[in-house]
Amino acid sequence: SILALWYFVIIVFKVPDYIAPAPHEVLKVVIDQFDLLVANTIPTLQESVLGFLLGNGVAILIAIMFVHNMTVSRMYYPIAILANTIPIIAISPILVLIFGLGMAPKIVISAIICFFPTLVNMIRGFNSISHSELELMRILSANKREVFWKLRMQRSLPFLFSALRIASTTCVIGAIVGEWIGSNLGLGALIIQATFNYRSGLLYAAILGASLLAITLFAIVVLLEKKFLRWTH
């Protein structure tokens, strides 16, 4: 198990406590500093969830626009690809300067990380329908709205949830990166403070909290996927 490997590495290589404390020491910090960990998890959770909703919501709307207007797609899709090549750590200070040190820049950073995978997957999903299916909808006299909701949207759902699985974990990363740049609250801020104060137990506890937060969001997306895509299972 991971815990056994953790103990093995610490004992065999004689790793100092300030670099890697033993698992029982981290657990002790979690118990002793539980209120502090919860107080810093709540803002990170809020930033992650709001960034998740914002980034994915905007991505879905833009994907719909691209699918229905090929001219707009040819003009702006390359711009979206180019924007995705810019490291988020380079954008973060600019967003902090624009939005200040509150929750807003963390939400935007989290949203940006979620945006591109969902945009790409939704476009693929909307375009995954075959010519024979489109022809059948025309024979049935379906209008564009009916084609979209009854065919394109249904076909795009597996692609959407694949992107949401990725976004459910990356949104937490985005929130933490934003907190690194400038924040007094949040797991990201706690990680920085623990690092500079050589509080390795608190550092590992904060990292564990961030991991559990990402796993929880991922599990929620999986449950929603099973509920809405029963026909694929």
Side-chain angles (χ1 to χ4, degrees):
S1 67
I2 296 176
L3 290 179
L5 178 61
W6 191 341
Y7 274 114
F8 175 80
V9 171
I10 290 174
I11 295 171
V12 172
F13 295 97
K14 298 179 180 179
V15 181
D17 288 344
Y18 66 86
I19 295 178
H24 68 272
E25 294 176 351
V26 176
L27 179 60
K28 184 177 183 299
V29 171
V30 170
I31 296 172
D32 294 342
Q33 303 289 332
F34 185 75
D35 291 341
L36 176 64
L37 290 168
V38 170
N40 283 277
T41 299
I42 291 173
T44 303
L45 172 61
Q46 294 172 334
E47 294 155 3
S48 301
V49 172
L50 292 174
F52 177 87
L53 296 175
L54 177 62
N56 289 298
V58 173
I60 292 170
L61 291 175
I62 293 179
I64 293 172
M65 181 177 65
F66 281 178
V67 167
H68 286 90
N69 193 323
M70 294 306 297
T71 302
V72 173
S73 178
R74 294 190 191 98
M75 289 175 60
Y76 293 104
Y77 188 59
I79 297 176
I81 295 175
L82 179 63
N84 187 61
T85 62
I86 303 174
I88 193 64
I89 195 69
I91 301 175
S92 301
I94 300 173
L95 294 175
V96 170
L97 288 175
I98 295 172
F99 296 104
L101 296 175
M103 290 182 63
K106 289 81 172 178
I107 295 170
V108 174
I109 293 167
S110 181
I112 290 173
I113 288 183
C114 296
F115 172 79
F116 190 75
T118 302
L119 175 66
V120 172
N121 274 273
M122 288 304 293
I123 291 174
R124 287 180 58 202
F126 287 146
N127 292 327
S128 64
I129 58 176
S130 64
H131 292 293
S132 58
E133 288 172 323
L134 279 174
E135 187 62 29
L136 177 61
M137 295 297 284
R138 291 192 187 97
I139 292 173
L140 295 174
S141 301
N143 56 38
K144 286 186 176 182
R145 180 175 296 179
E146 290 171 329
V147 170
F148 176 78
W149 287 109
K150 295 182 179 180
L151 185 57
R152 290 189 187 274
M153 183 57 75
Q154 296 299 320
R155 279 300 186 87
S156 69
L157 287 179
F159 294 86
L160 172 61
F161 278 102
S162 294
L164 293 183
R165 286 187 180 211
I166 298 171
S168 64
T169 55
T170 56
C171 68
V172 178
I173 296 172
I176 289 175
V177 168
E179 290 167 352
W180 283 350
I181 303 302
S183 180
N184 293 322
L185 279 177
L187 291 174
L190 189 61
I191 288 171
I192 293 295
Q193 292 166 9
T195 301
F196 286 123
N197 292 322
Y198 295 97
R199 300 175 66 184
S200 59
L202 184 59
L203 169 63
Y204 279 73
I207 293 172
L208 178 62
S211 178
L212 291 175
L213 179 57
I215 291 171
T216 301
L217 295 178
F218 181 86
I220 292 172
V221 170
V222 171
L223 290 175
L224 290 173
E225 181 180 8
K226 289 181 178 179
K227 180 178 180 180
F228 288 103
L229 297 182
R230 292 176 182 174
W231 52 273
T232 64
H233 298 282

